Amino acid sequence: MKKLVLGLAILATTFTGCSSDDDGDTTRVPATGEITGDITSNIVYGYGNYTLKGIVKIQSGVTVTFEAGSTITADKANGDDALVVLNGGKLIAAGTASEPIVFTEASKVPGSWAGIIMYGDAPIVNSASAPAPQTAASEDGLTLTYGGSNSAHNGGTLKYVRVEYAGQVITQNNKEHNGFSFYSVGSGTTLENLVSYMGNDDGFEFYGGTVSAKNLISYGNKDDSFDWQDGWRGQANTNWYAYQTGTANYGIEVEAKSVNNAFWPIINGITLKRAAGTVTEAQSEVQLDAFQFKKEGNGEYNNIIIDGFKNQTSPTAKNGGAIQILDLATYNNQVAAGKIKLTNVKITNTDNDFISGAGTFTMSASSFNPTANWTTSTTATGANLTTGAWCTVNGVNLFQ
């Protein structure tokens, strides 16, 4: 045991940068190193610049810590790269507003790596008939089982972390990745001040679970800014900001695997912006919406700004709108039953307030029951974020 402890201490020291010279200069010298393979023992990566090579997995029972200000760079030229936190493992990445922890990719091309993937055993729902606890297989190519009954699952702490150029899509709906992918992550996990920048799929995706997230920025991601399924039910979410530019689909895509749930997420303070000229990723997409509800998706959303979701005229004509209800079941069971609540909503520069996706019903403000489940406002403030290095890339403040 003593030899093991000593070995781990030496290993941790290896990744800690030096900090002073004979003249008392306290400038930190960043450590360097390569991160690869399965991580099977606790380790602290001191402030530094590291290379991420391959599918790196933090094993169950293992805690990996990155110090503030560190940069971890993947390189698609070496093959598939990802940082995966397996169920029972923990990732502690606690940056600061001035010294964020940045996960990036050498080529700076969207979709070049798989981002951060975290697994837990918090509850999910993916079938109306199966008894709880339910499980499912991941869609990231690892085909790992997620789900369970541990609502308080703790996958660690992510604060002031930025993921860049992720969202690798290898096979549609079979091997897909996002900036951040949270598979049945529990409420014991801390997610605060996170940025998903210029990815090729969703910025953030929640696959069930009970975790909540505060102060999120999804910028320039080519699919949805925020997405979830499997009955995600985080209750303490605040300050979500999305800016779509160039190519993008939905601001927030909400679904629950066609299960009419008695629970839902709550988010307060949302800003969804779409730059002029932004077009849908795939012309097969039905419409261009700030919110799309489908497959029994629901939730409570308050203090919302929606801006720029205009109609698309080319290459294919698409309607743009604030709210789309895609299917009749979601309309009947979620809208009419009062399980979708959008209050204090400010809509600007958007061609349609409501879109009826299925064509068998007509959405309007009167569709909500009671009418208090839909209220508009001219004074909504949306996401309230503090700027800093954590949300600045190449001199551009992402929170516009």
Side-chain angles (χ1 to χ4, degrees):
M1 179 62 73
K2 290 182 179 179
K3 290 182 179 179
L4 175 60
V5 172
L6 178 60
L8 292 176
I10 293 172
L11 184 59
T13 302
T14 301
F15 291 105
T16 302
C18 300
S19 61
S20 64
D21 58 26
D22 293 339
D23 297 324
D25 184 2
T26 58
T27 301
R28 290 184 299 171
V29 177
T32 59
E34 182 178 276
I35 305 170
T36 190
D38 291 347
I39 302 178
T40 58
S41 300
N42 294 348
I43 185 169
V44 176
Y45 291 98
Y47 164 74
N49 300 315
Y50 300 97
T51 299
L52 181 74
K53 187 174 182 180
I55 308 297
V56 175
K57 298 177 182 177
I58 301 173
Q59 298 291 308
S60 180
V62 175
T63 299
V64 172
T65 302
F66 288 98
E67 290 189 350
S70 295
T71 298
I72 301 89
T73 303
D75 188 346
K76 68 176 183 178
N78 297 323
D80 293 349
D81 299 313
L83 181 60
V84 181
V85 186
L86 297 178
N87 183 26
K90 287 185 180 180
L91 173 60
I92 308 296
T96 67
S98 59
E99 290 190 306
I101 297 171
V102 179
F103 291 82
T104 189
E105 197 279 330
S107 72
K108 301 187 183 301
V109 175
S112 294
W113 70 297
I116 294 177
I117 305 170
M118 182 178 289
Y119 284 90
D121 54 356
I124 70 168
V125 174
N126 64 0
S127 171
S129 58
Q134 295 187 30
T135 60
S138 65
E139 63 180 33
D140 55 7
L142 301 175
T143 319
L144 297 178
T145 299
Y146 64 98
S149 57
N150 181 17
S151 294
H153 158 264
N154 183 352
T157 296
L158 303 183
K159 288 185 176 182
Y160 294 102
V161 173
R162 187 167 71 242
V163 169
E164 302 175 345
Y165 311 111
Q168 185 179 35
V169 178
I170 299 175
T171 305
Q172 197 75 22
N173 297 321
N174 183 39
K175 193 174 183 181
E176 298 186 23
H177 307 98
N178 309 289
F180 295 85
S181 301
F182 299 112
Y183 285 94
S184 60
V185 173
S187 61
T189 308
T190 298
L191 305 177
E192 295 181 6
N193 295 89
L194 308 180
V195 176
S196 181
Y197 176 80
M198 297 298 289
N200 197 49
D201 208 278
D202 301 328
F204 298 83
E205 184 153 6
F206 298 86
Y207 300 84
T210 55
V211 69
S212 295
K214 300 177 180 180
N215 307 331
L216 303 186
I217 295 178
S218 181
Y219 187 100
N221 294 292
K222 295 185 181 300
D223 194 353
D224 308 316
S225 299
F226 305 99
D227 190 357
W228 60 86
Q229 55 182 284
D230 297 326
W232 174 62
R233 61 191 86 176
Q235 296 287 292
N237 303 282
T238 58
N239 297 324
W240 287 20
Y241 178 89
Y243 185 77
Q244 299 182 328
T245 181
T247 301
N249 289 331
Y250 306 106
I252 297 181
E253 185 176 43
V254 184
E255 69 160 286
K257 286 292 180 69
S258 299
V259 180
N260 185 9
N261 295 316
F263 50 80
W264 46 79
I266 299 174
I267 309 174
N268 286 294
I270 302 169
T271 297
L272 304 175
K273 291 187 175 183
R274 189 176 181 93
T278 302
V279 298
T280 184
E281 176 193 33
Q283 296 310 306
S284 59
E285 293 292 339
V286 179
Q287 314 288 355
L288 308 172
D289 312 298
F291 283 85
Q292 186 200 67
F293 295 91
K294 66 180 183 180
K295 297 181 180 179
E296 306 281 15
N298 54 21
E300 295 183 11
Y301 311 88
N302 178 57
N303 188 16
I304 305 163
I305 289 178
I306 295 171
D307 180 77
F309 287 80
K310 305 283 288 182
N311 294 341
Q312 173 183 299
T313 57
S314 64
T316 305
K318 305 282 183 181
N319 287 329
I323 312 297
Q324 179 184 178
I325 307 300
L326 187 61
D327 55 271
L328 184 59
T330 301
Y331 178 83
N332 288 336
N333 296 330
Q334 307 305 322
V335 177
K339 294 182 180 180
I340 295 176
K341 184 174 183 178
L342 300 124
T343 55
N344 195 19
V345 184
K346 182 179 180 180
I347 303 173
T348 55
N349 195 30
T350 295
D351 289 324
N352 304 284
D353 286 356
F354 299 101
I355 296 176
S356 307
T360 57
F361 57 91
T362 300
M363 277 295 301
S364 67
S366 61
S367 301
F368 289 87
N369 181 26
T371 55
N373 282 9
W374 170 262
T375 62
T376 58
S377 170
T378 60
T379 58
T381 56
N384 182 16
L385 299 171
T386 301
T387 60
W390 74 283
C391 60
T392 301
V393 180
N394 299 325
V396 176
N397 174 23
L398 305 184
F399 179 48
Q400 303 182 13

